[in-house]
Amino acid sequence: FDKVAQKLSEYCVLYKTKEHAISISPCENYLDAKHQLDRTAEAYKLLYEGGVANVEFYDEIEDAPERASKGSTLSMGELLRISRFLKSCRILNTSITSSTVDAPILKMQASAIYTDSYLENDIRSKIVSEDTMSDNASEKLYSIRRTIKRLNEQIREKEVRVIGTNGEQ
């Protein structure tokens, strides 16, 4: 069984999923085993008959949601990872629940997956990279950056005038 669990873990993309696959143990009663076999049969049908794609890769988000719920400020990188996680959840939820394949167990589980397209898109539209926020993230930020740009242009114009009057180039 350990060899099967190890082989299963090789197909896992995420670190925690690999750990879980390695740590699983055989079912101890018939009903649990039957339920797991039914889920496996549904997954097979969804993948090979329904064309449901693999779970899209996402970064591990660790404890960021819990910290955010307690009022902590998250970094832009953490927010981007959460956006990618939300996208993966949305794709998984939609692809399974909208499939025409008969898969009641997995469809019920997929329908319980939390999705928030608004938050996902809001993060992506406001954060460009782990260290760059979009000018359009807020009106205040746009105003500040516009003022900085205008001040930089005024400084350059003064430098040109000063250099021009001193005869230096």
Side-chain angles (χ1 to χ4, degrees):
F1 187 83
D2 292 342
K3 289 180 183 178
V4 172
Q6 180 62 41
K7 188 69 175 169
L8 172 64
S9 75
E10 293 172 12
Y11 290 96
C12 299
V13 176
L14 304 173
Y15 178 71
K16 286 186 181 184
T17 310
K18 285 180 185 288
E19 282 182 346
H20 178 71
I22 290 171
S23 71
I24 60 173
S25 57
C27 295
E28 294 184 12
N29 67 55
Y30 173 78
L31 290 177
D32 288 343
K34 172 94 172 82
H35 180 72
Q36 295 301 338
L37 286 170
D38 290 344
R39 286 178 61 205
T40 302
E42 286 185 11
Y44 181 89
K45 287 193 308 188
L46 284 165
L47 284 170
Y48 296 106
E49 295 172 20
V52 172
N54 296 332
V55 174
E56 187 169 307
F57 176 79
Y58 60 88
D59 302 296
E60 308 250 359
I61 57 174
E62 294 101 19
D63 64 341
E66 183 180 337
R67 288 187 299 109
S69 72
K70 293 178 181 177
S72 292
T73 301
L74 302 181
S75 71
M76 290 189 290
E78 288 173 313
L79 289 169
L80 285 173
R81 286 189 287 282
I82 288 172
S83 177
R84 287 190 292 267
F85 174 74
L86 287 170
K87 178 182 179 186
S88 184
C89 289
R90 177 180 47 78
I91 291 170
L92 180 63
N93 174 302
T94 304
S95 62
I96 292 175
T97 58
S98 65
S99 173
T100 58
V101 169
D102 182 36
I105 298 168
L106 294 179
K107 284 185 177 188
M108 183 178 69
Q109 289 178 322
S111 69
I113 295 172
Y114 176 79
T115 62
D116 190 336
S117 303
Y118 177 78
L119 178 59
E120 173 192 336
N121 293 328
D122 202 31
I123 292 170
R124 275 197 328 231
S125 70
K126 293 184 174 152
I127 301 175
V128 177
S129 69
E130 293 204 8
D131 56 0
T132 307
M133 188 168 290
S134 168
D135 288 348
N136 300 321
S138 74
E139 288 181 33
K140 185 75 172 169
L141 180 60
Y142 179 76
S143 174
I144 291 169
R145 288 188 175 168
R146 192 178 58 215
T147 301
I148 290 171
K149 186 177 179 181
R150 191 178 64 245
L151 290 171
N152 281 333
E153 288 171 3
Q154 290 173 353
I155 290 170
R156 274 192 289 278
E157 287 172 9
K158 285 183 182 182
E159 286 176 341
V160 167
R161 277 187 260 146
V162 168
I163 291 172
T165 57
N166 291 336
E168 298 174 9
Q169 293 190 10

